[in-house]
Amino acid sequence: MRDTQRVKVYDAEQLVRSVFDRAADFGQRTVEVHGSRLTLPVERKFASVDSVQQYCDRVLALGWVATTWERAGVPIRVRARAGNVAAHYESGHAVLAVPLHAEPAARGRAAWALRELVVLHELAHHLEPRPEAVAAHGPEFCSRYVELADGVIGPEAGLLLRLTFHDSGVRLG
């Protein structure tokens, strides 16, 4: 299955992460999006593979997650990933791999992948019931990711992600 939305999804996510970073850096949590004022919730950051593992376990154990997606009952294992380019999910083994180092351009920031939005992206892959039958970043994935952001981080995060996907031409299912 061809992953035609991949680049658009990654670009939109980078915009959303930048909005959250700026809000945290400048202490200004209120942003204007499409004429609406949103007060962004705090996005959790992680210090280690263990803290990401604990977070994933807690998210998958949430009642609404467990009743919405059957694969929430499949345990996920988090491991460190060499390099700093990308986090990824290995569906055959239910493994989330996160880089522990900052991007060279991050100028003192912690590892870019040790943050809630990135981890929820990978959990959205984990919750896919038919990974071999659908595009990795297709409309179903994007809707699942928005729903996770909405329910776990907060509705403002879900709305910001949904609007940014829309503006970027990302289709939701």
Side-chain angles (χ1 to χ4, degrees):
M1 185 64 69
R2 192 148 187 259
D3 196 6
T4 59
Q5 292 198 134
R6 182 176 182 263
V7 171
K8 289 179 183 177
V9 168
Y10 288 168
D11 288 347
E13 282 181 305
Q14 181 56 49
L15 288 172
V16 170
R17 288 193 306 265
S18 295
V19 170
F20 271 90
D21 286 344
R22 277 190 238 114
D25 288 349
F26 297 109
Q28 177 57 289
R29 304 220 66 83
T30 302
V31 296
E32 189 167 319
V33 181
H34 286 269
S36 296
R37 296 182 73 76
L38 299 177
T39 301
L40 296 178
V42 173
E43 180 195 11
R44 291 168 187 90
K45 305 287 173 75
F46 307 102
S48 66
V49 167
D50 288 338
S51 61
V52 175
Q53 180 71 63
Q54 291 170 16
Y55 176 82
C56 289
D57 294 344
R58 286 192 313 269
V59 169
L60 293 175
L62 291 170
W64 69 270
V65 172
T67 58
T68 304
W69 298 289
E70 186 176 310
R71 287 209 24 103
V74 176
I76 192 170
R77 184 176 68 86
V78 179
R79 70 167 177 84
R81 179 173 191 219
N84 59 14
V85 176
H88 74 266
Y89 176 71
E90 301 163 6
S91 63
H93 304 288
V95 171
L96 191 166
V98 290
L100 300 179
H101 305 289
E103 294 175 280
R107 295 185 300 277
R109 277 199 193 280
W112 71 272
L114 295 177
R115 61 187 303 161
E116 199 166 18
L117 286 165
V118 171
V119 173
L120 290 176
H121 173 116
E122 300 309 329
L123 283 176
H125 285 303
H126 174 69
L127 295 171
E128 170 55 53
R130 308 167 293 126
E132 69 289 339
V134 297
H137 297 92
E140 298 82 8
F141 163 82
C142 293
S143 291
R144 196 168 39 255
Y145 180 32
V146 168
E147 194 169 345
L148 283 169
D150 182 283
V152 177
I153 301 174
E156 299 84 0
L159 179 60
L160 178 61
L161 188 58
R162 179 183 302 278
L163 291 171
T164 306
F165 276 170
H166 178 269
D167 289 349
S168 301
V170 172
R171 291 178 299 117
L172 299 174

